[in-house]
């Protein structure tokens, strides 16, 4: 199947509103944005080896070392994608202390309707399967 983008470059129809993200007993999701920069940066920089070993990330060029300012740029890009319906990235928050413990990405795929990838920080590795 070819990449599933609409004529305006999104992969959802105009006016699409993403459903309320799920909440479990251990984590909850919210759209990723620049307000998560410090906590997001701490989460992935402490867990690069674990993320690289997570299915879907080995063939990617991320994570790689970058500054917290570069991370903020990345978060702004994901927030823009979310707003335009180009892709949907969620931060994963702990229900215990609201700390950022991972991310979930939903983007178009060349082979199916959407590609979904997720990672959690190494200290929460036991949630990898639950988040997936």
């Amino acid at each position: 199947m070819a990449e599933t983008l609409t004529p305006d470059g999104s992969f959802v129809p105009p006016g699409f509103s993403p459903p309320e993200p799920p909440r479990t007993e251990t984590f909850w999701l919210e759209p990723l944005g620049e307000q998560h920069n410090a906590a997001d940066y701490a989460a992935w920089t402490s867990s690069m080896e674990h993320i690289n070993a997570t299915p879907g990330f080995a063939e990617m060029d991320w994570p790689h070392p970058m500054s917290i300012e570069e991370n903020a740029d990345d978060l702004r890009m994901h927030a823009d994608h979310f707003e335009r319906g180009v892709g949907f990235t969620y931060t994963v928050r702990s229900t215990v202390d609201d700390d950022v413990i991972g991310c979930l990405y939903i983007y178009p795929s060349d082979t199916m309707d959407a590609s979904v990838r997720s990672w959690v920080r190494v200290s929460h590795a036991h949630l990898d399967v639950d988040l997936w």
Side-chain angles (χ1 to χ4, degrees):
M1 178 182 306
E3 195 169 270
T4 54
L5 295 177
T6 64
D8 69 354
S10 66
F11 80 108
V12 294
F16 175 82
S17 285
E20 189 68 29
R23 184 181 190 105
T24 73
E25 292 181 13
T26 52
F27 62 83
W28 59 284
L29 307 176
E30 71 177 331
L32 180 66
E34 190 176 4
Q35 72 273 23
H36 304 112
N37 191 36
D40 176 76
Y41 188 78
W44 71 261
T45 58
S46 69
S47 303
M48 290 173 64
E49 189 174 315
H50 177 71
I51 295 167
N52 279 321
T54 300
F57 287 90
E59 63 279 352
M60 297 189 62
D61 65 352
W62 186 89
H64 58 83
M66 64 180 168
S67 70
I68 195 162
E69 293 82 13
E70 291 170 312
N71 194 66
D73 290 342
D74 191 58
L75 299 189
R76 283 191 291 273
M77 176 202 67
H78 283 297
D80 176 64
H81 287 178
F82 200 105
E83 186 175 312
R84 294 187 299 120
V86 173
F88 300 94
T89 303
Y90 293 89
T91 190
V92 181
R93 310 278 299 266
S94 167
T95 57
V96 174
D97 58 11
D98 284 340
D99 196 15
V100 171
I101 59 171
C103 267
L104 175 82
Y105 308 84
I106 305 169
Y107 274 84
S109 169
D110 290 336
T111 58
M112 57 193 106
D113 289 339
S115 168
V116 179
R117 287 179 290 123
S118 62
W119 61 265
V120 294
R121 61 168 63 202
V122 69
S123 61
H124 290 73
H126 62 283
L127 296 176
D128 267 327
V129 172
D130 289 344
L131 178 58
W132 175 248

